[in-house]
Amino acid sequence: MGLDAFIDLLKKNLSTTDFNRMMAFTASMEPERRSAMMQFLAERETLAPAVGSTAPDFTLPRLDSGDQVRLSSFRGRKPVALIFGSYT
Amino acid sequence: MELDRHFSDRVEFFVIYIREAHPTDEWQVESNETEKILFAQPTTLAARSEIAQVCSLKLELPIPTLVDDMENSTDRKYYALPDRLYLIGRDGRVAYRGGPGPFGFVAAELETAIEQYLDAPSIDPPSKSA
């Protein structure tokens, strides 16, 4: 997805207030940082692990117990659904 | 989440709590103001975990939550920000990758992907528990 198409997608899906906020937020950045961020956003679909590629391994703590969970420990046993996100 | 109840015996589910997408000190959004979801970007793992805890309790998440580190290592590997869904097969390969959130975050797509994966003839290594 190119940058223009990405901006169009945001404009179409965000409220006018939020779209204007995003543009104001990015406009306040240093030009180099803004350019890098917008390019990152536009290109990330080509960089995110694609279907069929090896899933990057990770080890992270469980919030409830602190126990470490390693993705590759499920290999050969069970598929794993990953739901990335934050509260905000 | 309905999905985890439906597939929990056959699929492992994890929420991976990553950096805040719309903290008050970065790109604030209208909906968070309306819903009073107002947090600055945490600068320590303890602070991130605290927000994750609030999120988990408020949303009554039934799925184990893993907290990304402050280098955002896992987010960076998966290009996950602001949110994204993946299904990783038993062979350790990506079986489904959702689009970037919020528009690409479609739980029904993940559900379909899981069903298709589970229905497909297995080309993965056999389950050790089988």
Side-chain angles (χ1 to χ4, degrees), chain A residues 27-41:
Chain A
S28 70
M29 294 174 150
E30 293 291 326
E32 279 187 13
R33 186 168 170 237
R34 177 180 187 275
S35 176
M37 190 194 89
M38 298 307 277
Q39 203 59 39
F40 166 80
L41 291 173

Side-chain angles (χ1 to χ4, degrees), chain A residues 77-88:
Chain A
R77 295 168 49 213
K78 249 183 170 183
V80 181
L82 302 177
I83 301 158
F84 287 88
S86 70
Y87 198 13
T88 59

Side-chain angles (χ1 to χ4, degrees), chain B residues 74-101:
Chain B
T74 307
D75 168 32
R76 291 178 190 278
K77 288 175 182 173
Y78 283 84
Y79 291 85
L81 188 76
D83 43 47
R84 195 190 284 274
L85 298 166
Y86 281 91
L87 177 67
I88 312 303
R90 283 183 291 265
D91 61 356
R93 294 182 182 278
V94 175
Y96 165 77
R97 183 189 76 189

Side-chain angles (χ1 to χ4, degrees), chain A:
Chain A
M1 181 185 290
L3 185 54
D4 290 343
F6 178 71
I7 296 291
D8 285 345
L9 181 70
L10 290 176
K11 194 169 190 175
K12 182 179 167 193
N13 286 281
L14 294 174
S15 70
T16 303
T17 301
D18 281 343
F19 180 78
N20 290 339
R21 279 184 184 186
M22 184 207 73
M23 296 307 281
F25 172 68
T26 54
S28 70
M29 294 174 150
E30 293 291 326
E32 279 187 13
R33 186 168 170 237
R34 177 180 187 275
S35 176
M37 190 194 89
M38 298 307 277
Q39 203 59 39
F40 166 80
L41 291 173
E43 289 180 350
R44 64 184 184 168
E45 294 320 288
T46 61
L47 299 172
V51 170
S53 66
T54 299
D57 200 14
F58 60 80
T59 302
L60 293 174
R62 278 181 66 134
L63 182 64
D64 54 359
S65 64
D67 292 346
Q68 297 289 318
V69 174
R70 188 182 180 103
L71 176 66
S72 56
S73 69
F74 296 95
R75 197 168 292 178
R77 295 168 49 213
K78 249 183 170 183
V80 181
L82 302 177
I83 301 158
F84 287 88
S86 70
Y87 198 13
T88 59

Side-chain angles (χ1 to χ4, degrees), chain B:
Chain B
M1 182 181 242
E2 290 294 325
L3 274 180
D4 84 296
R5 278 198 288 273
H6 192 59
F7 296 111
S8 62
D9 57 333
R10 289 169 291 167
V11 179
E12 204 70 35
F13 285 82
F14 291 108
V15 168
I16 301 185
Y17 199 90
I18 58 174
R19 55 186 154 157
E20 297 300 324
H22 297 290
T24 52
D25 53 344
E26 294 177 14
W27 176 7
Q28 174 69 296
V29 293
E30 207 172 9
S31 57
N32 283 348
E33 289 178 339
T34 305
E35 296 173 29
K36 308 288 186 213
I37 301 174
L38 304 170
F39 296 96
Q41 189 69 266
T43 56
T44 65
L45 186 60
R48 176 175 286 174
S49 298
E50 196 171 315
I51 302 172
Q53 189 71 48
V54 173
C55 174
S56 182
L57 291 172
K58 289 273 188 186
L59 302 182
E60 299 181 336
L61 295 176
I63 301 169
T65 297
L66 311 179
V67 184
D68 198 8
D69 58 41
M70 297 312 289
E71 287 72 45
N72 305 307
S73 308
T74 307
D75 168 32
R76 291 178 190 278
K77 288 175 182 173
Y78 283 84
Y79 291 85
L81 188 76
D83 43 47
R84 195 190 284 274
L85 298 166
Y86 281 91
L87 177 67
I88 312 303
R90 283 183 291 265
D91 61 356
R93 294 182 182 278
V94 175
Y96 165 77
R97 183 189 76 189
F103 322 119
F105 191 95
V106 183
E109 268 189 24
L110 175 62
E111 181 175 14
T112 301
I114 291 173
E115 285 172 346
Q116 289 176 346
Y117 181 84
L118 294 174
D119 288 346
S122 178
I123 54 171
D124 298 338
S127 168
K128 288 177 183 170
S129 60

